[in-house]
């Protein structure tokens, strides 16, 4: 949907309502000692996103994993008494590029940071997203 306005608000409320509608039976079953519906929910969720894992894995490799490896290299350098990597240090100051946008379950601010924020591309319906 749109990023703002009545269409975005209606879509956010619908997502919220669907989430609550799906959550209540799971909660009731768990309270009754039956974790079967929750386990099936987990299996269904895994099936839905399975095709997206290769792209997520690449984002992880290029982002968090690469950052963790750089941190390890920096710790190795510090342990060796070499602070040279500090010459490449930078700092950013960011303000929201849009305040009060609609997220999955409510309002949130957006931070679009050039060079770090992935462009927004809404998911397109694709039969591969739902292999059932």
């Amino acid at each position: 949907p749109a990023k703002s306005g009545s269409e975005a608000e209606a879509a956010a409320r619908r997502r919220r309502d669907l989430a609550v509608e799906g959550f209540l039976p799971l909660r009731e079953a768990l309270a009754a000692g039956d974790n079967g519906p929750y386990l099936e929910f987990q299996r269904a969720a895994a099936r839905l996103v399975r095709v997206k894992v290769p792209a997520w894995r690449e984002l992880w490799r290029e982002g968090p994993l690469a950052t963790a490896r750089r941190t390890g290299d920096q710790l190795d350098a510090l342990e060796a008494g070499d602070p040279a990597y500090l010459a490449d240090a930078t700092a950013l100051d960011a303000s929201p590029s849009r305040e009060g946008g609609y997220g999955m379950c409510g309002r949130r601010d957006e931070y679009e940071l050039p060079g770090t924020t992935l462009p927004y591309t809404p998911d397109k319906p694709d039969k591969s997203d739902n292999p059932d």
Side-chain angles (χ1 to χ4, degrees):
K3 282 188 155 191
S4 61
S6 61
E7 181 184 347
E9 183 175 352
R13 291 184 191 286
R14 181 73 179 137
R15 288 190 302 270
R16 179 208 55 206
D17 294 346
L18 287 170
V20 170
E21 182 181 320
F23 169 75
L24 292 176
L26 296 176
R27 184 182 71 173
E28 290 168 10
L30 285 168
D34 179 9
N35 69 348
Y38 180 63
L39 295 175
E40 180 50 37
F41 168 76
Q42 290 178 327
R43 287 189 288 271
R47 286 190 304 268
L48 285 172
V49 300
R50 179 176 38 208
V51 298
K52 298 180 180 195
V53 171
W56 291 347
R57 188 176 304 279
E58 190 58 32
L59 289 171
W60 167 72
R61 278 189 191 113
E62 293 176 8
L65 181 59
T67 299
R69 287 184 173 148
R70 269 194 317 277
T71 300
D73 292 344
Q74 292 167 352
L75 291 171
D76 291 344
L78 287 174
E79 189 173 44
D82 179 7
Y85 76 91
L86 293 172
D88 295 329
T90 60
L92 296 174
D93 180 24
S95 297
S97 51
R98 187 164 65 96
E99 295 181 349
Y102 292 97
M104 188 62 189
C105 296
R107 309 275 260 168
R108 46 71 181 142
D109 294 342
E110 287 183 9
Y111 291 79
E112 295 179 19
L113 305 174
T116 62
T117 303
L118 297 175
Y120 172 73
T121 54
D123 288 337
K124 296 177 183 170
D126 182 345
K127 290 182 181 173
S128 66
D129 281 349
N130 188 357
D132 290 329

